[in-house]
């Protein structure tokens, strides 16, 4: 507008007419908008309802009586980057240290843990190890690339089908173990879940000692091409470990011999 006035010597009124512009529009001076009330309100809602999205936040603001425009609130919502997904931190409950006790009967306590290794191709796989603390028997070593909580429960049920359910499971704080699925399963079958303190593997010494033997004699000793090879070698090794290998802590009896010796006391029908 200024250029037209200076170049052609026109007044503001005639220049606006020539450019077909309203003098009101030309004279309009936007006043700076204070967005702090909107920002404060949004941040307050995020603190109260961290899992809501924009639609719910806007609905709450309207219910609280605010008259801010939808576009304005959405602009500020995005400038604050509240549209980006916020991942909550997994917080573990505090664990009270429980002394590792020597068990006096079978099925009083099973210790469980995960291990991992890789095939020749580089594909990672995991093992889910289950050990009876009293007899030192290997109850299961499940091998697969993925072992979620549902698979863990299936393995435990498979063991319980021939051995019965344990009084408790001792474990670390892995995501599969702190899942709602496992907690529900434990409640249904009267199994106590005993968690060790984070970063204290010595509180689960029985299975940790077994893991070292399993690592040295199987995972570090063999080169695997396929999962079927891992399962075959592990199954043979479990039979040898349970049925033929003398265990010093059991008076040089094998775990199977020790279990059969105490079967009557425990009231278990073992295979």
């Amino acid at each position: 507008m200024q250029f037209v006035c200076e170049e052609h010597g026109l007044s503001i009124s005639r220049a606006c007419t020539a450019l077909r512009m309203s003098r009101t529009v030309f004279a309009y001076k936007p006043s700076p908008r204070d967005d702090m009330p909107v920002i404060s309100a949004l941040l307050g809602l995020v603190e109260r309802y961290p899992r809501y999205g924009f639609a719910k936040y806007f609905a709450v603001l309207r219910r609280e009586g605010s008259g801010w425009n939808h576009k304005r609130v959405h602009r500020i919502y995005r400038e604050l980057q509240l549209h980006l997904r916020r991942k909550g931190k997994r917080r573990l409950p505090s664990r009270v240290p429980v002394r590792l006790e020597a068990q006096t009967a079978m099925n009083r306590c099973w210790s469980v843990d995960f291990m991992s290794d890789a095939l020749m191709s580089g594909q990672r796989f995991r093992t889910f190890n289950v050990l009876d603390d009293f007899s030192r028997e290997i109850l299961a070593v499940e091998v697969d690339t993925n072992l979620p909580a549902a698979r863990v429960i299936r393995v435990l049920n498979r063991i319980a089908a021939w051995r019965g359910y344990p009084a408790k499971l001792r474990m670390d704080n892995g995501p599969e173990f702190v899942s709602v699925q496992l907690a529900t399963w434990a409640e249904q079958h009267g199994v106590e879940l005993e968690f060790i303190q984070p970063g204290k593997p010595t509180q689960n010494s029985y299975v940790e000692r077994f893991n070292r033997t399993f690592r040295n004699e199987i995972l570090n000793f063999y080169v695997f091409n396929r999962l079927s090879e891992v399962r075959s070698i592990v199954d043979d090794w479990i039979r040898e470990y349970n049925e033929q290998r003398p265990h010093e802590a059991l008076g040089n009896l094998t775990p199977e011999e020790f279990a059969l010796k105490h079967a009557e006391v425990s009231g278990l029908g073992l295979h």
Side-chain angles (χ1 to χ4, degrees):
M1 183 67 69
Q2 185 176 357
F3 172 79
V4 173
C5 292
E6 292 177 355
E7 186 70 19
H8 299 283
L10 300 177
S11 65
I12 296 294
S13 177
R14 296 189 66 182
C16 286
T17 302
L19 295 176
R20 298 181 180 178
M21 177 184 291
S22 168
R23 288 195 62 183
T24 304
V25 172
F26 172 73
Y28 175 73
K29 301 295 183 183
S31 58
R33 179 178 291 178
D34 183 11
D35 289 330
M36 283 307 300
V38 186
I39 293 173
S40 299
L42 278 175
L43 293 179
L45 291 180
V46 169
E47 188 70 25
R48 286 157 53 193
Y49 312 112
R51 303 305 297 172
Y52 280 13
F54 171 75
K56 284 197 179 297
Y57 287 141
F58 187 73
V60 173
L61 289 175
R62 281 296 169 88
R63 287 173 60 86
E64 292 178 350
S66 68
W68 296 312
N69 181 276
H70 176 278
K71 292 181 180 180
R72 181 186 180 189
V73 177
H74 189 259
R75 171 180 59 80
I76 297 171
Y77 177 82
R78 293 186 67 86
E79 288 176 354
L80 293 174
Q81 296 189 337
L82 300 178
H83 60 293
L84 300 179
R85 181 175 179 179
R86 299 174 301 283
K87 185 177 181 180
K89 295 181 179 179
R90 184 172 69 99
R91 300 187 182 276
L92 295 174
S94 58
R95 304 299 189 192
V96 178
V98 180
R99 186 167 60 88
L100 185 64
E101 299 177 346
Q103 301 302 316
T104 58
M106 289 176 290
N107 275 17
R108 291 285 177 84
C109 182
W110 295 353
S111 293
V112 297
D113 200 10
F114 287 98
M115 298 182 72
S116 64
D117 203 11
L119 303 177
M120 276 288 290
S121 63
Q123 182 182 29
R124 304 294 299 180
F125 67 85
R126 306 179 76 196
T127 72
F128 172 57
N129 306 338
V130 186
L131 185 78
D132 187 300
D133 288 359
F134 177 70
S135 66
R136 309 299 204 278
E137 289 176 277
I138 307 172
L139 304 181
V141 175
E142 189 77 357
V143 179
D144 214 329
T145 54
N146 186 32
L147 295 169
R151 182 74 170 275
V152 167
I153 291 171
R154 197 159 75 227
V155 173
L156 295 174
N157 283 332
R158 189 176 70 213
I159 300 171
W162 61 270
R163 191 180 181 90
Y165 289 96
K168 68 180 177 181
L169 289 178
R170 193 172 181 90
M171 64 197 74
D172 61 23
N173 297 273
E176 298 86 359
F177 297 146
V178 298
S179 68
V180 174
Q181 287 177 281
L182 188 63
T184 302
W185 171 87
E187 185 177 358
Q188 290 173 344
H189 299 287
V191 178
E192 177 188 354
L193 299 182
E194 186 174 279
F195 294 95
I196 66 174
Q197 291 178 292
K200 302 284 186 180
T202 53
Q203 294 179 2
N204 206 9
S205 297
Y206 290 124
V207 75
E208 290 292 340
R209 178 62 183 84
F210 164 76
N211 288 349
R212 187 175 73 180
T213 301
F214 183 56
R215 174 72 67 184
N216 290 339
E217 298 189 9
I218 297 297
L219 299 182
N220 289 349
F221 191 78
Y222 291 94
V223 175
F224 305 108
N225 290 309
R226 296 178 299 276
L227 281 179
S228 58
E229 289 183 0
V230 184
R231 295 186 180 111
S232 177
I233 291 173
V234 167
D235 287 346
D236 290 341
W237 184 77
I238 288 175
R239 282 191 290 272
E240 184 269 330
Y241 187 97
N242 284 340
E243 300 172 13
Q244 302 172 23
R245 183 193 190 104
H247 202 296
E248 291 182 11
L250 305 178
N252 282 327
L253 295 175
T254 68
E256 185 181 70
E257 290 170 343
F258 189 82
L260 290 173
K261 180 179 178 180
H262 293 82
E264 284 190 18
V265 176
S266 301
L268 299 174
L270 303 179
H271 71 297

